[in-house]
Amino acid sequence: MFRTAWLLLIFLCPGLVSGQILGRRIIPQEPPPTPATWAERNQQSPLCQACEVESLALPLCIALASVRPRRVPAGECALPQYGTSRQHLLLWRVIPWQVQHAEFLELYETLKDRSSDGVELEREKTRLFIWCEKKKLPVCAEFVLRDFLYTRGVHHENSVYQKNLQRWKELAKTEPIPYTFRLPVQGQWHALLDESGHHQKKHGAVFAFDIVRQVGGHLHAGANAKENHFAWRQPVLAVCDGVITAAVDKHNDHTIGRPGPLSYSNHIRLDCGGGVFAEYHHLQKDSLRVKVGDKVEAGQVLGNIGNSGASGVPHLHFSFMDRDGFSLPGRYRLRVLAAQGWTNLNGEDIAEGWHFRSVD
């Protein structure tokens, strides 16, 4: 999601150093095994099972109005009143109980007494985050920051929001999604540099990336019209098998350099199972081949890249997200261009500036 001005600076190949990919060392690693099907990924979630040990259950932000963090005895479901079939819709994390968790729960519940004063409530949440850090409770610290950011919503320019967003990102980036999927496109692509930092200002986009197609370092052939861009009408593919939960392609595609409102982005949301969702944005009007409720297979064509929404040139904005709409670090099977040529990676996230291609 970017403006045309940002694009004028970026399309030459970055320098490549032997043994590195754009400044990052190539460290082959075995990613966690990915359950084969959408159903298996849902079944694998520990949130759907009774706790083996005494635990702390932390809900999703969307559930905080009715579900509070709680201490869970060993052998009991995290949310027994909701049943195991619904727990994954309400819970964010379940972790083994620690002595400090009792004080954390007490402090967190006192925040409700300040709910009428928004400014004071934000200060108290920030203080609670600092307390969690001092007590070495990183999961509780991230939970408090998620609560803060989710409540703030679209107020991205606020300085306190931005400071807490960066705090949250440092915690969240250490835990990429527990699955490795294929790329959302076929062939060779380029991940744009976020020169404006627009992704880094929103908790729903900090791990997202924008990709374009280049030929000889150029975005288009001939006149600079959307129809001449190499990314225009290129198919987007399902990164895994799953279920379509959102599908919109009614908005017009804009002329080059004249992006529209963010809310006018044609998009798809794919439920990948296990609380992970794939989001595709800026798709072409009337190009979708799926509708809400459709079950899809990995590699299936979902629609085409367009220039809808806040887009200056045809490109794909892609991200993994959780049920709260928080951006998640991804894992992909891909090939990346390095000094020694194309290098296979498995279980790595996309980095800005990479030239990469699919292996499927």
Side-chain angles (χ1 to χ4, degrees):
M1 302 174 182
F2 53 95
R3 311 294 187 189
T4 302
W6 307 338
L7 294 168
L8 300 179
L9 306 174
I10 56 177
F11 301 113
L12 295 177
C13 278
L16 299 172
V17 182
S18 179
Q20 297 184 342
I21 301 178
L22 304 179
R24 288 180 53 182
R25 290 197 60 78
I26 302 172
I27 305 176
Q29 60 177 336
E30 280 298 319
T34 297
T37 68
W38 174 84
E40 289 173 347
R41 289 189 289 275
N42 277 333
Q43 292 172 358
Q44 187 192 50
S45 172
L47 304 182
C48 299
Q49 303 168 4
C51 298
E52 295 182 1
V53 298
E54 188 175 24
S55 302
L56 173 66
L58 299 169
L60 289 164
C61 295
I62 56 173
L64 279 172
S66 58
V67 180
R68 307 300 293 176
R70 68 184 293 264
R71 186 174 186 171
V72 185
E76 184 177 306
C77 291
L79 295 174
Q81 66 268 42
Y82 294 99
T84 57
S85 63
R86 291 190 60 208
Q87 286 189 58
H88 69 285
L89 300 175
L90 302 172
L91 280 167
W92 172 63
R93 195 74 59 83
V94 177
I95 59 175
W97 181 261
Q98 298 181 39
V99 174
Q100 301 96 314
H101 288 157
E103 188 175 357
F104 166 75
L105 289 177
E106 182 179 348
L107 292 171
Y108 183 78
E109 287 307 309
T110 63
L111 296 178
K112 292 191 295 185
D113 300 332
R114 298 175 175 83
S115 59
S116 60
D117 186 340
V119 174
E120 181 59 23
L121 180 60
E122 290 185 350
R123 289 173 180 163
E124 288 299 317
K125 287 179 180 178
T126 302
R127 292 188 189 108
L128 182 54
F129 160 77
I130 294 172
W131 180 89
C132 292
E133 288 276 275
K134 289 180 178 179
K135 295 294 183 178
K136 297 184 176 2
L137 300 174
V139 176
C140 294
E142 185 179 352
F143 171 77
V144 173
L145 290 179
R146 286 171 60 90
D147 183 358
F148 177 97
L149 299 170
Y150 185 88
T151 303
R152 260 286 174 179
V154 298
H155 303 288
H156 305 311
E157 300 304 323
N158 178 276
S159 60
V160 180
Y161 173 96
Q162 290 301 321
K163 187 172 184 178
N164 280 338
L165 175 62
Q166 293 309 309
R167 287 167 164 165
W168 167 76
K169 180 185 175 184
E170 291 306 307
L171 292 170
K173 71 181 182 181
T174 63
E175 299 182 24
I177 63 171
Y179 313 120
T180 298
F181 294 132
R182 60 153 295 132
L183 292 171
V185 287
Q186 190 76 26
Q188 184 173 331
W189 295 80
H190 174 73
L192 298 176
L193 298 175
D194 184 6
E195 298 282 358
S196 69
H198 62 297
H199 286 163
Q200 304 307 310
K201 296 177 181 178
K202 296 169 283 191
H203 63 263
V206 290
F207 299 110
F209 56 88
D210 292 329
I211 63 172
V212 293
R213 198 157 198 178
Q214 299 181 28
V215 175
H218 301 286
L219 292 179
H220 59 89
N224 189 13
K226 61 179 181 287
E227 295 83 2
N228 293 333
H229 276 247
F230 300 121
W232 174 254
R233 296 187 66 183
Q234 288 295 312
V236 298
L237 312 176
V239 293
C240 61
D241 69 304
V243 178
I244 302 297
T245 59
V248 176
D249 69 348
K250 65 181 179 180
H251 301 298
N252 291 328
D253 295 285
H254 307 295
T255 55
I256 296 297
R258 303 189 65 179
L262 181 65
S263 58
Y264 284 16
S265 170
N266 295 321
H267 64 277
I268 291 170
R269 183 181 303 118
L270 170 62
D271 180 356
C272 298
V276 175
F277 297 80
E279 292 251 348
Y280 306 71
H281 276 269
H282 307 311
L283 303 180
Q284 183 188 14
K285 183 180 181 181
D286 298 328
S287 73
L288 300 196
R289 305 186 190 182
V290 292
K291 62 183 182 301
V292 172
D294 283 355
K295 295 180 179 180
V296 301
E297 299 295 327
Q300 181 176 330
V301 175
L302 305 179
N304 297 338
I305 293 175
N307 200 40
S308 59
S311 177
V313 299
H315 74 285
L316 174 67
H317 171 100
F318 182 84
S319 65
F320 286 113
M321 306 181 81
D322 67 13
R323 295 186 185 280
D324 277 332
F326 279 77
S327 183
L328 298 172
R331 292 183 190 270
Y332 305 90
R333 296 186 300 274
L334 73 164
R335 305 187 72 196
V336 180
L337 185 60
Q340 66 270 42
W342 289 98
T343 300
N344 287 343
L345 293 180
N346 193 13
E348 285 274 356
D349 199 0
I350 302 294
E352 292 178 4
W354 278 13
H355 297 273
F356 62 93
R357 64 187 308 162
S358 56
V359 296
D360 304 78

